[in-house]
């Protein structure tokens, strides 16, 4: 064993010595040094898991992040022995392990280095707290950029930064505040056009240094537990994202209404105020699907109770709202009021469900209800109990839950002290190990309960804190942001970052939670949020009485805000299809430009532009009074959404930014399905699906997914997947369609609107049959509109015909 300098708090740094022995078992290999063991497990061609036992014994192999449905595809792999290394190979990767010191080098079969250890594994005794601090350091490759890590409010490229995960109630956070609410120990590296990812599955406080301490080293470590990480190769970053998401789990489809517009505030009460807000949406023809009840709906902030004075008839209220097309989501915090007359408290005490300090006293702390105790969600029995508590809420008609304060947040103390004990599914650990999964498991138990009691309906959950993998059961929002322009940019980068960290179902508090936006900021925020999977206005206007609703800023703004909420509802089939792509393949719904054009270095530091799904490129208007905005477009042709002007990509272009427009582009070649505007999802049956088709001379594929928008029929094949392929040339427009259909739609025909046709045809050929085009089919120069039956397979337009 080699030993370096020592310091008082942490012991000396230790490094592995040479490999003495090795063995193979199933799909893994173990390499033994004098005192330590490295395990290398081949999960897939492109996924290798590394575990390092610095003690010579592995800890329990247990994870709250990984999905148990990850299929291990049959793969070929093997081992070769070289003079200085062992080599484990798959069809795609070669992993070299140095005989001297266990340092890892991963290459492809051409010998291109993908990832390489700097010092590799090393560790220190954590003298003050016990256990070991586990490090791994890698070399930063030439030009390497780093991405990922959840909700960090900073530039997308993390090169030169050090960041950590320790869930924190970061009220009013700013750019570069760290850590925030979520704990996602997963990052990407990108160099020479090669992308890979590293998922460090460790729930202790984790720290990542991307060349900050030493320019040429990227290192990550944890204050306990095991060095246990997954290496995920691309080379495409989106493929890395998909693999990561499959490892940590894909979500179920949300109910379609959850993709509508959500209105929230701290707090809407009493019931008459809630009804008034709902009625205002309908009277003003502003679409909305969801209204939230923040903490004031409860009786003295006791979870699972109603304030009798403000909400005398919750069932009646929810029914009335439902008849107008609204769903109700209510907040539930982890703090349970210490109150001997309160059933939830009694049950928890009786069954020993609450967290305790090291010496057995209850973990008590003040939150909204006053003195509280906190369920130990790391205990499976407690999770069962917690799930069961949602029965009455579900039965009263509540359709979704909002989990807050689950970092966990405690007034004055900040969070739990480290000595608090947790079950950790039978392991019995301190808060040091359980902190980062406290909110994760609270939300898991909440989701399980709501799902159980809401069946056959789909349910909806939004949580503030979580660990890697929470996308399986919850959406998230970016927390307590501020009403200013910098936060509009932060909302955009945080949502992009969350999406590539496995959590696409995300949004920010539109307009800002703290403070008061003016009409312009609110409008620009609404525009951005049309392209966030979760679209919710929220504000902390309890004290000031300030209103943050679409109509709060005067008619000029209301008009534009309405236009964009309408656009959200028009785009629903596209958003939903993009969600299905995420739910089925793990593809992030939001894609930073570097993830869609990783061979173009000009995209590596882009933060303002991103793609939503395969076809739309968005940027937000980022300053007050902004007249135009410069945007980098990746290679290809792009239609400006509002006037069909075509721009060539691989360059920076400038577009005007009047208040009622925003930089929104459609990829040439794409098919963009649209619904008519409705005041809430599924208000009326769709009788004609609009397909906006953008002429392009490169082959482009598009997708339409459809199902009932609720229930689980899609799990039994009751859905439609329709794949479009445009393969046009300057003389011929050609759209092909392939489909799997097993769900009966309410419409029987499409209306196609073809944009940007470079010629004027006289007829359209649908499945070989010619139909003459009339003057009314020509909407404007280059824009044609005509109908086609739902099961068409090919549409052709020919120049001169
Ligand atoms: O200490 O429930 O982030 O969205 O409105 C504040 C009241 C507690 C913090 C959440 C915010 C919510 C608020 N909560």
């Amino acid at each position: 064993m080699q030993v370096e300098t020592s310091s008082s708090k942490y012991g000396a740094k230790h490094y592995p010595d040479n490999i003495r022995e090795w063995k193979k078992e199933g799909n893994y290999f173990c390499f033994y040094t004098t005192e330590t063991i490295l395990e290398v497990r081949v999960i897939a061609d492109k996924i290798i898991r590394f575990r390092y036992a610095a003690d010579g014994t592995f800890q329990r192999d247990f994870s709250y992040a990984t999905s148990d449905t990850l299929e291990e595809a049959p793969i070929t792999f093997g081992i070769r022995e070289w003079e200085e290394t062992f080599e484990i190979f798959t069809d795609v990767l070669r992993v070299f392990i140095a005989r001297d010191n266990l340092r890892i080098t991963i290459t492809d079969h051409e010998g291109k280095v993908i990832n390489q250890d700097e010092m590799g594994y090393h560790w220190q005794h954590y003298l003050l707290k016990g256990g070991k601090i586990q490090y791994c350091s890698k070399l930063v490759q030439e030009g390497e950029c780093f991405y990922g890590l959840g909700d960090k409010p900073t530039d997308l490229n993390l090169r030169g930064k050090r960041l950590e995960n320790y869930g924190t109630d970061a009220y009013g956070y700013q750019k570069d505040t760290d850590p925030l609410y979520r704990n996602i120990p997963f990052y990407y590296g990108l160099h020479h056009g090669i992308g890979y990812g590293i998922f460090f599955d460790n729930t202790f406080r984790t720290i990542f240094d991307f060349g900050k301490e030493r320019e040429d080293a990227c290192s990550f470590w944890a204050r306990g537990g095991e060095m246990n990480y997954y290496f995920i190769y691309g080379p495409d970053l989106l493929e890395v994202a998909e693999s990561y998401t499959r490892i940590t789990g894909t979500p179920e489809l949300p109910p379609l209404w959850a993709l509508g517009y959500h209105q929230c505030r701290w707090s809407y009460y009493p019931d008459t105020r809630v009804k008034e807000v709902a009625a205002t949406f309908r009277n003003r023809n502003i679409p909305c699907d969801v209204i939230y009840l923040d903490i004031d709906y409860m009786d003295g902030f006791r979870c699972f109770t109603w304030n009798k004075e403000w909400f005398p008839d919750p069932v009646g209220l929810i029914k009335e709202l439902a008849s107008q097309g609204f769903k109700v989501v209510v907040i539930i915090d982890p703090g349970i009021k210490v109150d001997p007359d309160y059933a939830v408290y009694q049950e928890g005490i009786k069954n020993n469900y609450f967290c305790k300090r090291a010496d057995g006293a209850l973990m008590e702390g003040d939150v909204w209800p006053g003195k509280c105790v906190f369920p130990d969600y790391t205990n499976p029995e407690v999770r069962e109990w917690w799930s069961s508590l949602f029965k009455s809420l579900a039965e009263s008609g509540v359709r979704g839950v909002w989990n807050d304060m689950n970092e966990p947040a405690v007034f004055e103390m900040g969070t739990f002290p480290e000595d608090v004990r947790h079950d950790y599914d039978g392991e019995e650990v301190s808060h040091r190990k359980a902190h980062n999964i406290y909110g994760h498991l609270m939300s898991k138990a909440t989701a399980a309960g709501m799902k159980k009691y809401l069946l056959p309906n789909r349910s909806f959950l939004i949580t503030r804190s979580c660990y890697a993998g929470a996308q399986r059961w919850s959406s998230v929002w970016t927390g307590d942001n501020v009403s200013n322009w910098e936060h509009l940019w932060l909302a955009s980068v945080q949502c992009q970052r969350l999406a590539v960290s496995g959590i696409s179902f995300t949004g920010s508090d539109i307009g800002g939670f703290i403070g008061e936006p003016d009409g312009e900021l609110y409008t620009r925020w609404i525009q951005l949020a049309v392209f966030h999977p979760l679209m919710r206005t929220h504000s902390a206007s309890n004290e000031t009485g300030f209103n943050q609703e679409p109509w709060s800023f005067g008619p000029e703004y209301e008009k534009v805000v309405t236009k964009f909420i309408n656009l959200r509802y028009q785009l629903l089939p596209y958003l939903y299809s993009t969600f299905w792509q995420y739910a089925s393949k793990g593809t992030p719904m939001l894609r930073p430009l570097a993830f869609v054009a990783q061979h173009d270095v000009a995209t590596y530091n882009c933060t303002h532009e991103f793609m939503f799904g395969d076809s739309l490129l968005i940027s937000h208007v980022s300053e007050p009074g902004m007249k135009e905005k410069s945007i980098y477009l990746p290679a290809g042709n792009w239609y400006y959404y509002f006037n069909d002007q075509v721009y060539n990509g691989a360059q920076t272009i400038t577009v005007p930014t009047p208040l009622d427009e925003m930089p929104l582009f459609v990829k040439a070649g794409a098919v963009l399905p649209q619904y008519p505007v409705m005041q809430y999802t599924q208000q009326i049956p769709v009788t004609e699906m609009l397909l906006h088709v953008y002429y392009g001379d490169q082959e482009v594929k598009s997708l339409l997914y459809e199902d009932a928008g609720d229930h689980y029929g899609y799990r039994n094949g009751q859905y439609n997947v329709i794949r479009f392929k445009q393969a046009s040339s300057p003389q011929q427009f050609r759209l092909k369609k392939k489909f799997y259909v097993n769900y009966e739609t309410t419409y029987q025909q499409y209306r196609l609107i073809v944009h940007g046709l470079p010629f004027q045809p006289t007829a359209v050929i649908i499945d070989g049959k010619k139909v003459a085009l009339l003057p009314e089919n020509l909407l404007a120069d280059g824009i044609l509109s005509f109908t086609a039956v739902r099961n068409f397979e090919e549409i052709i337009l020919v120049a001169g015909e």
Side-chain angles (χ1 to χ4, degrees):
M1 172 117 10
Q2 299 161 28
V3 174
E4 238 184 29
T5 53
S6 129
S7 81
S8 57
K9 196 164 154 198
Y10 312 121
K13 276 200 173 159
H14 298 262
Y15 300 83
D17 60 0
N18 59 312
I19 296 172
R20 304 286 160 100
E21 271 179 65
W22 68 276
K23 71 163 192 215
K24 170 178 183 286
E25 226 161 274
N27 66 342
Y28 67 95
F29 299 85
C30 284
F31 299 92
Y32 298 85
T33 69
T34 311
E35 290 176 15
T36 75
I37 316 170
L38 171 66
E39 183 192 286
V40 182
R41 194 177 281 257
V42 183
I43 310 274
D45 273 354
K46 297 182 173 185
I47 305 174
I48 313 285
R49 180 177 170 204
F50 297 88
R51 289 172 78 197
Y52 182 59
D55 296 1
T57 18
F58 286 105
Q59 301 180 8
R60 177 172 69 145
D61 191 12
F62 176 82
S63 171
Y64 286 121
T66 53
S67 156
D68 26 307
T69 59
L70 180 73
E71 304 146 31
E72 299 196 9
I75 30 163
T76 34
F77 62 92
I79 189 162
R80 292 187 193 108
E81 295 193 48
W82 302 99
E83 198 175 319
E84 295 185 345
T85 60
F86 290 90
E87 177 197 343
I88 294 168
F89 57 88
T90 69
D91 285 345
V92 185
L93 295 176
R94 305 178 72 181
V95 178
F96 296 92
I97 301 138
R99 287 177 184 266
D100 265 5
N101 51 22
L102 294 181
R103 285 185 194 160
I104 310 288
T105 301
I106 304 175
T107 75
D108 62 15
H109 279 272
E110 288 163 27
K112 270 190 275 172
V113 172
I114 303 163
N115 185 250
Q116 191 170 19
D117 278 357
E118 183 225 28
M119 293 195 288
Y121 304 101
H122 50 293
W123 51 271
Q124 286 170 294
H125 279 294
Y126 198 171
L127 297 176
L128 273 180
K129 309 259 160 101
K132 294 183 169 63
I133 304 179
Q134 307 279 352
Y135 297 85
C136 185
S137 67
K138 308 269 180 188
L139 284 172
V140 172
Q141 303 293 325
E142 189 202 331
E144 188 157 7
C145 296
F146 298 97
Y147 304 96
L149 238 55
D151 58 0
K152 305 302 180 195
T154 189
D155 306 287
L156 284 173
N157 179 1
L158 301 172
R159 176 86 180 257
K161 298 180 193 292
R162 173 184 286 200
L163 296 146
E164 62 185 79
N165 294 314
Y166 200 69
T168 301
D169 177 4
Y171 178 85
Y173 65 89
Q174 296 299 324
K175 178 169 191 282
D176 293 319
T177 300
D178 187 53
L180 292 196
Y181 307 89
R182 274 151 288 265
N183 317 297
I184 319 286
F186 168 60
Y187 76 89
Y188 297 82
L190 171 64
H191 61 86
H192 305 94
I194 302 172
Y196 68 89
I198 288 191
F199 170 42
F200 179 22
D201 190 6
N202 181 312
T203 64
F204 282 82
R205 184 189 292 265
T206 46
I207 298 145
F208 292 78
D209 189 301
F210 300 101
K212 181 168 193 200
E213 187 177 301
R214 278 169 288 133
E215 244 174 69
D216 62 344
C218 165
S219 45
F220 49 95
W221 61 95
R223 302 243 177 103
E226 206 167 78
M227 179 48 65
N228 166 28
Y229 72 87
Y230 293 75
F231 171 85
I232 307 165
Y233 179 54
D236 290 351
L237 290 171
L238 281 182
E239 199 187 326
V240 177
E242 290 169 352
S243 295
Y244 166 77
T245 308
R246 284 202 310 273
I247 292 170
T248 56
T250 47
E252 294 182 350
L253 284 171
L256 186 62
W257 57 261
L259 296 183
Y261 173 72
H262 303 218
Q263 182 67 41
C264 188
R265 171 191 160 111
W266 180 15
S267 299
Y268 288 128
Y269 71 90
D271 55 356
T272 48
R273 174 77 182 123
V274 181
K275 291 181 197 176
E276 182 185 50
V277 172
T280 311
F281 275 99
R282 296 299 176 247
N283 293 339
R284 292 181 178 257
N285 275 314
I286 303 173
C288 181
D289 268 83
V290 194
I291 292 195
Y292 284 64
L293 300 180
D294 204 331
I295 48 176
D296 298 289
Y297 79 90
M298 295 181 266
D299 173 18
F301 307 116
R302 289 170 189 82
C303 292
F304 311 103
T305 67
W306 292 86
N307 179 303
K308 297 265 151 42
E309 189 187 327
W310 292 334
F311 294 89
D313 177 19
V315 174
L317 169 70
I318 295 169
K319 246 197 204 128
E320 187 179 327
L321 292 171
S323 72
Q324 298 156 13
F326 289 98
K327 307 289 189 285
V328 173
V329 172
V330 300
I331 198 166
I332 288 286
D333 290 353
I336 298 300
K337 188 178 177 65
V338 172
D339 170 3
D341 296 327
Y342 167 40
V344 180
Y345 173 78
Q346 289 165 355
E347 271 176 52
I349 290 289
K350 189 175 87 207
N351 296 302
N352 198 18
Y353 287 158
F354 298 121
C355 293
K356 291 191 170 151
R357 305 292 299 262
D359 298 318
L362 281 166
M363 161 61 218
E364 291 181 331
D366 274 22
V367 215
W368 294 110
K371 204 203 285 168
C372 282
V373 287
F374 303 85
D376 181 14
Y377 301 106
T378 73
N379 180 338
E381 197 186 323
V382 176
R383 291 200 293 274
E384 279 281 315
W385 170 66
W386 185 257
S387 295
S388 74
L389 296 174
F390 288 88
K391 187 160 190 269
S392 64
L393 278 179
E395 282 173 359
S396 50
V398 168
R399 297 293 288 274
V401 171
W402 173 19
N403 281 163
D404 187 23
M405 304 291 276
N406 53 3
E407 291 69 31
V410 186
F411 295 162
E412 277 151 43
M413 307 163 81
T415 188
F416 292 1
E418 291 182 342
D419 70 276
V420 169
R421 307 289 303 162
H422 296 272
D423 180 70
Y424 209 96
D425 280 66
E427 199 170 311
E428 303 200 353
V429 305
S430 82
H431 195 61
R432 294 201 306 124
K433 184 164 183 171
H435 179 85
N436 279 350
I437 41 85
Y438 188 81
H440 187 73
L441 296 172
M442 177 200 189
S443 64
K444 184 176 184 179
T446 303
M450 285 303 281
K451 181 173 177 182
K452 180 170 170 197
Y453 301 116
L454 282 178
L455 279 172
N457 293 313
R458 300 180 198 165
S459 57
F460 168 76
L461 177 64
I462 175 169
T463 184
R464 198 167 71 175
S465 189
C466 65
Y467 182 66
Q471 69 270 8
R472 275 174 281 159
W473 53 75
S474 190
S475 67
V476 306
W477 86 106
T478 58
D480 294 343
N481 60 358
V482 185
S483 302
N484 64 42
W485 288 86
E486 184 173 60
H487 267 273
L488 180 56
W489 174 79
L490 283 176
S492 181
V493 291
Q494 287 184 280
C495 290
Q496 291 178 59
R497 189 194 307 290
L498 279 160
V500 298
S501 304
I503 305 182
S504 282
F505 202 3
T506 175
S508 66
D509 286 352
I510 297 170
F513 177 71
I514 299 159
E516 302 177 3
D518 62 13
E520 186 184 7
L521 176 59
Y522 183 76
T523 305
R524 295 310 195 181
W525 211 313
I526 279 277
Q527 291 173 343
L528 171 66
V530 169
F531 303 97
H532 284 162
L534 183 81
M535 185 182 188
R536 183 183 82 153
T537 293
H538 182 39
S539 65
S541 31
N542 224 15
E543 253 107 84
T544 58
F546 178 76
N547 290 322
Q548 199 158 308
E549 285 109 28
W551 53 84
S552 306
F553 304 92
E556 185 202 354
Y557 295 110
E558 181 181 337
K559 196 169 148 218
V560 182
V561 166
T562 307
K563 168 177 168 175
F564 279 88
I565 299 180
N566 285 344
L567 176 61
R568 169 79 175 198
Y569 280 72
Q570 290 171 296
L571 290 174
L572 277 172
Y574 175 74
L575 306 185
Y576 195 56
S577 301
T578 304
F579 208 116
W580 176 76
Q581 193 181 37
Y582 165 52
S584 56
K585 273 177 67 186
T587 322
M589 297 175 72
L590 307 179
R591 305 168 193 168
L593 284 202
F595 281 63
V596 294
Q598 74 187 53
H599 294 285
D600 177 358
V601 292
T603 63
Y604 289 7
N605 291 304
C606 287
T607 57
H608 279 251
E609 307 86 347
F610 64 94
M611 287 197 71
F612 187 114
D614 294 332
S615 314
L616 294 181
L617 187 144
I618 296 101
S619 179
H620 65 286
V621 176
S622 47
E623 285 165 27
M626 203 173 197
K627 295 272 176 310
E628 55 180 34
K629 189 168 184 190
S630 294
I631 283 134
Y632 187 77
L633 294 176
N637 288 330
W638 301 88
Y639 285 77
Y640 181 65
Y641 183 80
F642 299 96
N643 68 7
D644 276 0
Q645 188 174 333
V646 179
Y647 294 86
N648 296 319
Q651 61 168 336
T652 300
I653 56 117
T654 300
V655 286
T657 51
L659 187 70
D660 66 346
E661 292 182 14
M662 67 183 293
L664 170 60
F665 300 86
V666 188
K667 190 198 255 173
V671 177
L672 196 63
Q674 291 198 357
Y675 281 161
V677 173
M678 293 184 205
Q679 296 310 300
Y680 53 93
T681 51
Q682 304 184 317
Q683 181 186 15
I684 45 164
V686 176
T687 52
E688 186 177 74
M689 174 75 92
L690 273 181
L691 296 180
H692 286 274
V693 191
Y694 293 82
Y695 166 84
D697 55 10
Q698 306 285 318
E699 191 175 296
V700 168
K701 291 182 180 153
S702 309
L703 170 80
L704 171 60
Y705 171 86
E706 322 174 280
D707 66 14
D710 203 345
H711 313 295
Y712 288 86
Y714 76 96
R715 291 251 153 128
N716 305 319
Q718 286 156 36
Y719 60 88
N720 304 331
V721 175
I722 296 146
R723 297 184 190 278
F724 299 99
K725 184 168 87 183
Q726 186 181 155
S728 300
S729 68
Q731 282 76 42
Q732 197 195 54
F733 165 92
R734 191 154 167 233
L735 182 67
K736 292 194 128 203
K737 173 160 151 289
K738 280 195 180 156
F739 44 86
Y740 163 88
V741 287
N742 192 30
Y743 167 72
E744 196 52 50
T745 52
T746 51
Y747 64 88
Q748 294 308 321
Q749 71 172 28
Y750 296 112
R751 171 161 300 276
L752 281 92
I753 302 192
V754 181
H755 299 250
L757 257 197
F759 54 84
Q760 252 193 47
T762 57
V764 50
I765 306 161
I766 302 177
D767 292 337
K769 276 192 216 111
K770 212 176 211 177
V771 186
L773 288 168
L774 305 169
E776 60 260 35
N777 293 113
L778 189 67
L779 296 187
D781 206 22
I783 307 188
L784 268 185
S785 158
F786 54 88
T787 58
V789 286
R790 195 165 65 96
N791 55 4
F792 82 83
E793 285 176 29
E794 187 178 50
I795 292 181
I796 295 176
L797 296 160
V798 186
E801 255 184 60

